[in-house]
Amino acid sequence: MSVYKNSINAFIYVLESKPGLIPLPDWDELNQLASNLPEDAEEISETLQNWLQAESRSQIREAYRQRRKELAAQLSINLNGTLGIGNTKSSTPPSQPSESSKEMLENAIKKNSPLLNSPPTQPQQP
């Protein structure tokens, strides 16, 4: 896995495991960012790095850096190339293309955004 995809996966992990670190205004920015992501993993990684630079995002940035370190430590060289990080197999069948980095990030933002996923309203009691 490339360094750039590793960075994207680390960011997705933070979105999915620590969405509470991200305040609502930042979710709004992330939703806008998702709609304008480039296709290239390197450019996506740079976009995320730039987004994380704001001082108000220091906790998000630290969680992201920690996850990148964890992923780097888990990387192992597999000579036959059948296993991924942590000796896991891909969830994508061999006959189908895997989701692009852009699609993975867009989907993670949409799935975890409190702005797009408001809790269901309770029906009012008569």
Side-chain angles (χ1 to χ4, degrees), residues 24-66:
L24 289 178
D26 286 346
W27 277 112
D28 190 38
E29 280 188 43
L30 278 175
N31 286 311
Q32 292 174 16
L33 185 84
S35 63
N36 296 313
L37 283 173
E39 291 292 332
D40 181 64
E42 181 177 359
E43 291 177 27
I44 293 171
S45 179
E46 289 174 11
T47 300
L48 295 175
Q49 296 276 345
N50 290 336
W51 186 83
L52 286 165
Q53 290 311 306
E55 187 58 39
S56 63
R57 299 181 181 128
S58 62
Q59 287 183 314
I60 305 165
R61 187 172 53 248
E62 186 53 39
Y64 164 77
R65 285 182 181 159
Q66 182 62 37

Side-chain angles (χ1 to χ4, degrees), residues 43-117:
E43 291 177 27
I44 293 171
S45 179
E46 289 174 11
T47 300
L48 295 175
Q49 296 276 345
N50 290 336
W51 186 83
L52 286 165
Q53 290 311 306
E55 187 58 39
S56 63
R57 299 181 181 128
S58 62
Q59 287 183 314
I60 305 165
R61 187 172 53 248
E62 186 53 39
Y64 164 77
R65 285 182 181 159
Q66 182 62 37
R67 184 59 182 168
R68 281 183 61 201
K69 286 180 188 176
E70 292 168 3
L71 289 174
Q74 291 176 359
L75 283 177
S76 62
I77 297 175
N78 183 349
L79 296 178
N80 65 9
T82 60
L83 299 178
I85 294 175
N87 293 326
T88 59
K89 291 190 176 191
S90 173
S91 60
T92 305
S95 60
Q96 294 180 355
S98 62
E99 202 174 23
S100 75
S101 297
K102 177 181 177 178
E103 291 170 322
M104 287 187 337
L105 185 55
E106 286 174 337
N107 291 337
I109 291 170
K110 289 175 187 174
K111 179 177 120 185
N112 294 289
S113 174
L115 300 175
L116 300 177
N117 300 309

